[in-house]
């Protein structure tokens, strides 16, 4: 990093400004250089965003040979007859490194050679011995993880820093395309763009039912570039699984990088959502007493992506307690993890955090925390024109012909005599009532005054 910055030949006076900004705002020096216009996004991405290369030596894995050998021993217990290539596929390491592992297994008499297709050890066929089965069972009693070889903590930190969401170049066209399926005001699109581009936290607030969750989900569509996520981490003798098929969506096979370290998987930038079920324990490492290894917390799975806390203020834990947990991560972009052994370590907190709530911010948090949330965006009730646009779209996707006179009856008569203000979710819910009525009566749904009256009576209290 230092040599790369020196190669840019930035004037000393400008570098001093960058260092001063780093001291004031925190983060990496490269972020300050980027903000001050001393380097371009393209330069930084080309330097930092690198494909993880397969390790060429055991030392390059960041792991000890004994650990890899123990992991391989657990694998071969379930493999039956195998060769080095098959084992390499299981542990996601190059064959030349697996050759060293097999040498250890042969010396310990944990495997036996069944035959060979040539003179090279790479052609040997192996089978686990009784001693190997006993050793594998002992290892499974200690830790039942049997998966790809983990990556080191330092490699993980380097990769997350290189894929930071704060370096993603966002323009107005991308924002418009991501929000094209929603009816939102041009002013909102203009406001939300810089907020997303900053990679900082965003507070979405306003009355219920007006699209805060939908807007948060649309923000996730803005980021199209894939990232690399490790299957697991190795930290101080413990394994932490990171890749989660529920959260991480691999890119298609044709887009996979064949030269990449297979201990990493290429996925879309994650979008993690948590609502009223969120507790403090979900933000810490989870140790499984049966499997004897850890699962990464939600914010770690969301690294380099988006973490949406929906219905903020409805959680089982007090909002202030939850937010106090994140004061340092939001400010310094690092989080602190603890193992059951008592060891503490830090991980990057590189995510765009979205808080969505229909409770007024002042009722939830104090000024000290609101200051740390860079952007506050109010999502209000739609205008009549926006409401009509939403209603037309909902009618279209449900195969219902829009009737202007009936819509006027809805806005002037039903809403006009009701204390209920128009909300962005109402068209979907009202039309759903019409569809349900038609399905029950085995007829085609039609937009009529009578159908609206029935839907209105059963929808609003």
């Amino acid at each position: 990093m230092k040599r790369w910055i020196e190669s840019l030949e930035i004037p000393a006076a400008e570098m001093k400004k960058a260092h001063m900004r780093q001291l004031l705002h925190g983060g990496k020096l490269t972020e300050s250089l980027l903000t001050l216009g001393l380097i371009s996004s393209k330069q930084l991405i080309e330097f930092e965003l690198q494909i993880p290369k397969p390790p060429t030596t055991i030392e390059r894995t960041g792991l000890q040979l004994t650990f890899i050998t123990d992991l391989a021993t657990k694998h071969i217990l379930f493999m039956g007859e195998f060769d080095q290539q098959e084992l390499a596929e299981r542990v996601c390491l190059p064959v030349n490194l697996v050759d060293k592992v097999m040498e250890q297994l042969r010396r310990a008499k944990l495997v036996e050679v069944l035959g060979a297709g040539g003179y090279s050890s790479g052609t040997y066929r192996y089978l686990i011995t009784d001693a190997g089965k006993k050793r594998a069972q002992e290892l499974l009693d200690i830790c039942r993880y049997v998966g790809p070889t983990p990556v080191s903590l330092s490699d993980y930190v380097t990769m997350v820093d290189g894929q930071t969401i704060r370096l993603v170049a966002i323009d107005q066209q991308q924002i418009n395309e991501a929000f094209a399926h929603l009816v939102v005001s041009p002013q909102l699109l203009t406001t939300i763009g810089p907020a997303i581009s900053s990679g900082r936290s965003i507070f979405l607030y306003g009355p219920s039912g007006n699209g805060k969750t939908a807007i948060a989900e649309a923000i996730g569509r803005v980021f199209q570039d894939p990232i690399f996520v490790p299957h697991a981490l190795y930290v101080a003798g413990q394994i932490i699984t990171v890749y989660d098929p529920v959260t991480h969506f691999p890119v298609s096979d044709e887009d996979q990088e064949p030269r990449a370290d297979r201990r990493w998987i290429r996925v879309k930038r994650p979008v993690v959502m948590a609502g009223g079920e969120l507790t403090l324990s979900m933000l810490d490492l989870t140790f499984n007493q049966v499997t004897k290894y850890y699962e990464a917390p939600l914010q770690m799975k969301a690294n380099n992506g988006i973490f949406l806390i929906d219905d903020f203020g409805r959680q089982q834990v007090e909002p202030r307690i939850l937010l106090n947990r994140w004061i340092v991560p939001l400010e310094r972009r690092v989080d602190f993890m603890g193992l059951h052994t008592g060891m503490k370590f830090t991980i990057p907190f590189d995510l765009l955090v979205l808080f969505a709530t229909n409770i007024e911010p002042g009722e939830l948090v104090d000024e000290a925390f609101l200051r740390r949330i860079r952007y506050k965006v109010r999502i209000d009730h739609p205008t009549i024109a926006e409401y009509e646009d939403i209603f037309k779209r909902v009618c279209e996707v449900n195969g219902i012909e829009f009737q202007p006179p009936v819509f006027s009856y809805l806005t002037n008569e039903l809403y006009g005599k009701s204390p209920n203000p128009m909300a962005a979710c109402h068209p979907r819910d009202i039309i759903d009532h019409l569809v349900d009525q038609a399905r029950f009566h085995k007829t085609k749904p039609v937009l009529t005054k009578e159908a609206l009256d029935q839907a209105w009576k059963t929808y609003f209290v």
Side-chain angles (χ1 to χ4, degrees), residues 255-293:
D255 293 331
Q256 284 279 15
E257 173 54 58
R259 296 176 289 112
D261 184 345
R262 289 182 294 113
R263 295 179 298 162
W264 301 79
I265 184 166
R266 203 177 194 191
V267 301
K268 297 178 180 178
R269 287 191 182 264
V271 178
V272 177
M273 299 179 63
E277 78 282 1
L278 181 64
T279 62
L280 280 180
S281 62
M282 297 169 69
L283 303 179
D284 293 321
L285 293 170
T286 302
F287 184 72
N288 190 311
Q289 295 289 347
V290 176
T291 61
K292 302 295 196 306
Y293 59 85

Side-chain angles (χ1 to χ4, degrees), residues 318-376:
E318 282 289 327
R320 286 174 176 81
I321 296 175
L322 179 63
L323 295 177
N324 285 338
R325 165 69 176 79
W326 273 2
I327 280 184
V328 173
L330 285 173
E331 181 122 345
R332 295 299 173 185
R333 304 187 72 82
V334 295
D335 201 3
F336 301 91
M337 296 285 109
L339 302 174
H340 70 280
T341 59
M343 179 189 170
K344 305 287 184 181
F345 62 97
T346 61
I347 61 167
F349 188 84
D350 188 83
L351 48 150
L352 177 61
V353 183
L354 305 176
F355 299 92
T357 181
N358 55 18
I359 304 174
E360 284 299 314
E363 298 178 21
L364 287 174
V365 293
D366 56 23
E367 184 59 33
F369 192 83
L370 283 177
R371 178 173 57 81
R372 289 171 169 84
I373 301 179
R374 185 63 59 86
Y375 290 88
K376 296 89 173 172

Side-chain angles (χ1 to χ4, degrees), residues 2 45 103 106 128 138 212 244 356 360 415 429 457:
K2 184 178 179 181
I45 291 173
E103 183 179 345
R106 290 196 302 269
I128 189 169
E138 291 172 349
K212 291 182 293 297
D244 182 354
E360 284 299 314
Y415 275 110
D429 296 342
K457 291 177 183 178

Side-chain angles (χ1 to χ4, degrees), residues 422-436:
M422 294 179 181
C425 67
H426 288 175
R428 176 201 63 198
D429 296 342
I430 290 173
I431 294 299
D432 277 349
H433 274 256
L434 267 64
V435 172
D436 293 340

Side-chain angles (χ1 to χ4, degrees), residues 3 59 90 134 161 209 248 257 269 306 313 328-329 367 370 405:
R3 289 183 179 178
E59 291 72 22
R90 289 287 194 102
K134 181 180 178 181
D161 284 345
H248 301 117
E257 173 54 58
R269 287 191 182 264
I306 294 172
V328 173
E367 184 59 33
L370 283 177

Side-chain angles (χ1 to χ4, degrees), residues 150 233-240 287 292-294 339-341:
L233 290 185
Y234 181 79
V235 182
Q238 304 295 321
I239 295 175
I240 304 169
F287 184 72
K292 302 295 196 306
Y293 59 85
Y294 292 88
L339 302 174
H340 70 280
T341 59

